[in-house]
């Protein structure tokens, strides 16, 4: 019986791209999780330098639940001050500046008298607080706030430092605006949801503080934060931008990484239970079609399936070819991985971009009305993630169905020892099928839709926000599908008595059996699914098998069995 590994293999299902490298400032700009002196919490520290932070910063901010300490670098503060001063100089020149001394959208030709400029910004925020639907999760809202800080810190938005400082204090002190999830078409930025954020800055709206939803003014007061009186362009800079759609897409990316890592571990266990052949995963075969994701997935599978009794038994198997759901794991999951990589690159760029309008160019002292607020890159990234989630779940459901089919897998029908009297996994596969079909329906590209708004001024929109918002539910569905396959794979392995797998997969198998007993006889299976899904959602199965979504593609030995 293989022993427990002393060093767990760290296999990366979704390796860090070049966009993740430290290239802006020294290590102080990195997000660090540091244990507090009392050992009771971790502080997430982040320095915004005015250039793109590595995506690992945003991942840690989203995943970690401890206190936050965000700060602005000296360079970024200088850029913000310079941009704010330029706003005032341009305003004093008397030239029309969109959204500063003019109206908005189709009302841009209306000049605003100087005494009404502050009122204009306040009215802009309040008039756009029209979001509906369930509010965004706290983890996403924290990302939205930090991303808005990063965008303003580029020094092209014309806001005063106090605006950035107030946003930072809201994150650091735990004042999280209540942001309804619906109401943005992802075109002129996420106007409605960002207006709900901006409303709290001026003492309006609602916010979560100390675990309760409170009026915005009360939440600020309890946190010791002074509400703002918005200056020229500041309301426009706050409501304009892609920070909500980007935060939702980043959250979807991070959840997809976890799903991908789990799918690798569970898929490998299904190969074992089915006595599937590993020959199709060989390096020589894969090198004939060298898509990056395909090569990496095949490499991981070779490492997970490099030894054990199942390997020996599979060589004596009677199947000439395995079904696609087993044989084509590198091709399908690899293609999904390539989509995830592309989405990660896009979102890393977007997270550090200036996406409001107009933008101020400090070097030439220009203010330009442009279109950086359009969410098309985010919409495409979200659509790619949706397709990947749908495919991962759909293929997982097929592996479950295969394991349950006695004529194909050679295992007992529906993985029960007394079929007829007991139904075994029959109904579990129905649930997996339902969830897979639901994800297929949701994976229709949002970016191909458009509907004109604002009197046809905003006549071609991206739909990035709801395209990204669906990803959380899709990831939940994919997790549940994988949880069902995990139960089936472990049950199938158990139906081949005396057989052991490789160390990584045996560790994952032991983890499952520590939470869920054998399901050979019927009992209340919802308890088993709940327990298995908890392991999947927390990444415990992938971790037990040595697969990590956030690190480079490595193993403890560094070797790749070929």
């Amino acid at each position: 019986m293989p022993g427990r590994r002393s060093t767990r293999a760290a296999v990366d299902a979704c390796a860090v791209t070049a966009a993740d490298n430290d290239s802006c400032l020294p290590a102080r700009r990195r997000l660090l999780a540091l244990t507090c002196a009392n050992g009771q919490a971790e502080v997430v520290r982040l320095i915004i330098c005015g250039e793109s932070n590595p995506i690992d910063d945003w991942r840690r901010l989203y995943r970690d639940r401890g206190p936050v300490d965000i700060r602005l670098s000296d360079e970024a503060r200088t850029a913000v001050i310079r941009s704010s001063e330029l706003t005032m100089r341009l305003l004093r020149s008397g030239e029309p500046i969109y959204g500063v001394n003019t109206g908005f959208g189709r009302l841009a030709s209306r000049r605003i008298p100087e005494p009404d400029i502050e009122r204009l910004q306040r009215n802009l925020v309040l008039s756009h607080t029209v979001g509906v639907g369930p509010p965004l999760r706290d983890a996403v809202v924290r990302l939205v706030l930090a991303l808005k800080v990063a965008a303003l810190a580029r020094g092209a938005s014309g806001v005063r430092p106090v605006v950035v400082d107030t946003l930072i204090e809201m994150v650091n002190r735990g004042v999280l605006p209540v942001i309804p999830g619906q109401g943005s078409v992802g075109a002129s930025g996420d106007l409605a949801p960002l207006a709900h954020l901006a409303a709290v800055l001026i003492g309006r709206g609602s916010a979560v503080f100390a675990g309760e939803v409170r009026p915005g003014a009360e939440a600020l007061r309890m946190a010791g934060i002074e509400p703002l009186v918005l200056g020229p362009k500041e309301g426009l800079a706050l409501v304009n931008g892609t920070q909500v759609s980007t935060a939702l897409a980043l959250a979807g990316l991070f959840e997809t990484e976890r799903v991908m890592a789990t799918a690798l571990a569970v898929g490998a266990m299904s190969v074992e239970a089915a006595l599937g052949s590993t020959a199709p995963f060989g390096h020589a075969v894969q090198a004939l079609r060298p898509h990056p994701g395909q090569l990496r997935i095949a490499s991981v599978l070779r490492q997970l399936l490099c030894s054990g009794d199942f390997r020996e038994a599979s060589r004596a198997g009677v199947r000439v070819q395995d079904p696609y759901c087993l044989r084509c794991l590198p091709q399908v999951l690899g293609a999904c991985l390539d989509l995830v990589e592309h989405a990660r690159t896009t979102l890393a760029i977007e997270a550090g971009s200036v996406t409001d309008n107009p933008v101020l160019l400090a070097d030439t002292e220009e203010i330009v009305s442009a279109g950086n607020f359009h969410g098309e890159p985010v919409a495409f990234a979200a659509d790619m993630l949706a397709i990947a989630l749908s495919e991962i779940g759909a293929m997982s459901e097929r592996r479950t169905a295969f394991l349950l089919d006695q004529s194909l897998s050679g295992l007992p029908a529906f993985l029960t020892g007394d079929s007829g009297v007991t139904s075994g996994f029959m109904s579990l596969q129905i649930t997996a099928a339902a969830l897979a079909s639901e994800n297929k329906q949701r994976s229709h590209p949002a970016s191909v839709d458009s509907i004109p708004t604002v009197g046809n001024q905003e006549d071609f929109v991206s739909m990035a926000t709801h395209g990204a918002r669906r990803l959380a539910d899709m990831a939940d569905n994919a997790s549940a599908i994988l949880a069902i396959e995990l139960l089936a794979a472990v049950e199938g392995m158990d139906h081949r008595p005396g057989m052991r797998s490789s160390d990584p997969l045996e560790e994952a198998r032991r983890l499952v059996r520590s939470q869920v007993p054998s399901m050979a006889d019927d009992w209340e299976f919802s308890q088993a699914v709940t327990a298995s899904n908890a392991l999947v959602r927390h990444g415990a199965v992938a971790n037990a098998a040595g697969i990590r979504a956030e690190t480079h593609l490595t193993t403890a030995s560094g070797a790749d069995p070929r």
Side-chain angles (χ1 to χ4, degrees):
M1 175 177 171
R4 186 179 297 272
R5 293 170 298 159
S6 59
T7 304
R8 179 171 296 158
V11 179
D12 173 19
C14 311
V16 180
T17 65
D20 297 313
N21 295 332
D22 281 331
S23 59
C24 170
L25 290 175
R28 67 186 180 85
R29 76 182 288 272
R30 295 284 295 154
L31 175 76
L32 302 174
L34 302 176
T35 303
C36 295
N38 59 15
Q40 294 179 351
E42 289 186 336
V43 179
V44 179
R45 303 189 187 278
L46 173 62
I47 294 179
I48 303 292
C49 72
E51 297 184 33
S52 297
N53 284 63
I55 203 163
D56 187 53
D57 287 4
W58 311 121
R59 184 186 292 109
R60 295 283 296 279
L61 187 63
Y62 171 75
R63 290 208 179 281
D64 290 359
R65 295 295 183 263
V68 180
D69 181 15
I70 293 180
R71 299 182 185 182
L72 202 62
S73 72
D74 293 340
E75 297 88 346
R77 185 169 297 279
T78 298
V80 172
I81 292 171
R82 188 181 180 194
S83 178
S84 175
E85 291 172 346
L86 177 57
T87 298
M88 299 311 297
R89 284 200 300 276
L90 292 172
L91 184 61
R92 287 193 294 268
S93 72
E95 293 295 319
I97 305 172
Y98 174 77
V100 177
N101 56 11
T102 77
F104 305 99
R106 288 291 294 271
L107 302 177
S109 60
R110 305 266 181 100
R111 289 295 293 269
I112 306 300
E114 185 172 344
D116 291 333
I117 286 178
E118 286 185 356
R119 181 175 165 225
L120 172 71
Q121 299 300 311
R122 176 179 176 275
N123 286 350
L124 172 68
V125 169
L126 297 180
S127 67
H128 281 78
T129 55
V130 293
V132 298
L136 303 182
R137 292 174 293 129
D138 289 353
V140 172
V141 174
R142 191 158 74 166
L143 260 182
V144 174
L145 287 165
L147 291 172
K148 178 57 79 174
V149 171
L152 298 179
R154 293 290 300 271
S157 299
V159 303
R160 294 167 296 161
V162 68
V163 176
V164 182
D165 290 340
T166 303
L167 287 167
I168 290 174
E169 287 306 304
M170 287 172 63
V171 181
N172 291 349
R173 302 185 190 189
V175 177
L176 302 178
V178 175
I179 301 177
Q182 296 171 276
S184 174
V185 295
S188 188
D190 294 311
L191 295 174
L194 285 174
H196 285 273
L197 179 152
V200 176
L201 269 75
I202 62 175
R204 303 293 291 269
S206 299
V208 176
F209 181 72
E212 294 186 15
V213 176
R214 310 171 190 274
E218 178 183 336
L220 291 178
R221 177 179 55 78
M222 293 180 67
I225 301 173
E226 286 291 326
L228 289 178
V229 175
L230 298 175
K233 196 183 179 294
E234 291 175 348
L236 183 59
L238 286 168
V239 304
N240 223 242
T242 63
Q243 286 74 44
V244 171
S245 53
T246 302
L248 287 166
L250 282 170
L253 168 68
F254 303 148
E255 296 301 329
T256 304
E257 289 174 341
R258 175 185 51 75
V259 167
M260 174 72 73
T262 303
L264 267 171
V266 177
M269 296 174 80
S270 288
V271 172
E272 295 285 67
L275 298 183
S277 172
T278 58
F281 309 149
H283 176 73
V285 173
Q286 299 300 315
L288 296 174
R289 194 194 194 195
H291 291 291
Q294 179 176 329
L295 292 176
R296 287 166 56 196
I297 294 297
S299 175
V300 174
L301 289 171
R302 288 195 296 273
Q303 294 169 62
L304 293 175
L305 299 169
C306 66
S307 63
D309 302 317
F310 293 96
R311 293 301 91 236
E312 295 302 319
S314 70
R315 294 186 178 97
V318 297
R319 283 196 304 272
V320 177
Q321 291 185 337
D322 290 327
Y324 292 178
C325 64
L326 299 178
R327 192 180 359 145
C328 297
L329 270 165
Q331 289 77 14
V332 176
L333 290 187
C336 292
L337 179 55
D338 286 338
L339 288 184
V340 171
E341 293 282 13
H342 190 88
R344 183 188 290 115
T345 300
T346 297
L347 296 175
I349 294 171
E350 190 74 8
S353 297
V354 177
T355 55
D356 62 303
N357 180 61
V359 295
L360 286 85
L361 307 177
D363 290 341
T364 57
E365 297 210 344
E366 295 179 89
I367 185 164
V368 180
S369 289
N372 279 359
F373 49 69
H374 201 285
E376 198 80 343
V378 181
F380 282 178
D383 284 345
M384 285 187 280
L385 293 171
I387 290 170
L389 285 168
S390 179
E391 290 294 271
I392 292 169
M395 197 182 205
S396 172
E397 182 277 328
R398 288 292 80 203
R399 288 192 297 273
T400 297
F402 172 79
L403 293 176
L404 272 54
D405 191 325
Q406 185 178 29
S407 65
L408 297 175
S409 69
L411 292 164
F414 301 108
L415 300 178
T416 178
D418 192 11
S419 58
V421 176
T422 59
S423 297
F425 278 68
M426 182 187 299
S427 293
L428 285 172
Q429 186 263 332
I430 295 174
T431 297
L435 295 174
S437 284
E438 186 176 312
N439 270 3
K440 292 173 191 176
Q441 295 158 12
R442 289 182 169 181
S443 65
H444 178 83
S447 58
V448 300
D449 187 21
S450 178
I451 187 168
T453 58
V454 192
N456 278 315
Q457 176 74 11
E458 299 168 7
D459 59 347
F460 190 80
V461 301
S462 73
M463 299 299 178
T465 316
H466 75 253
R469 182 168 49 84
R470 68 185 156 163
L471 296 176
D473 288 340
M474 292 186 69
D476 286 346
N477 286 348
S479 295
I481 296 168
L482 287 168
I484 290 170
E485 182 193 355
L486 176 63
L487 293 172
V490 172
E491 198 74 32
M493 293 170 78
D494 289 353
H495 274 289
R496 302 192 188 276
M499 290 190 182
R500 315 301 287 179
S501 185
S502 64
D503 283 358
L505 295 186
E506 281 301 319
E507 192 165 338
R509 185 181 179 184
R510 283 191 292 269
L511 174 65
V512 174
R513 278 293 174 249
S514 72
Q515 302 296 315
V516 182
S518 172
M519 299 170 66
D521 197 7
D522 289 349
W523 48 284
E524 194 173 352
F525 285 168
S526 63
Q527 298 174 22
V529 176
T530 298
S532 179
N533 201 10
L535 296 176
V536 171
R537 288 173 59 85
H538 290 94
V541 175
N543 287 339
I547 304 174
R548 296 186 61 82
E550 300 89 358
T551 55
H552 288 283
L553 182 59
T554 58
T555 64
S557 64
D560 175 8
R562 297 190 177 190

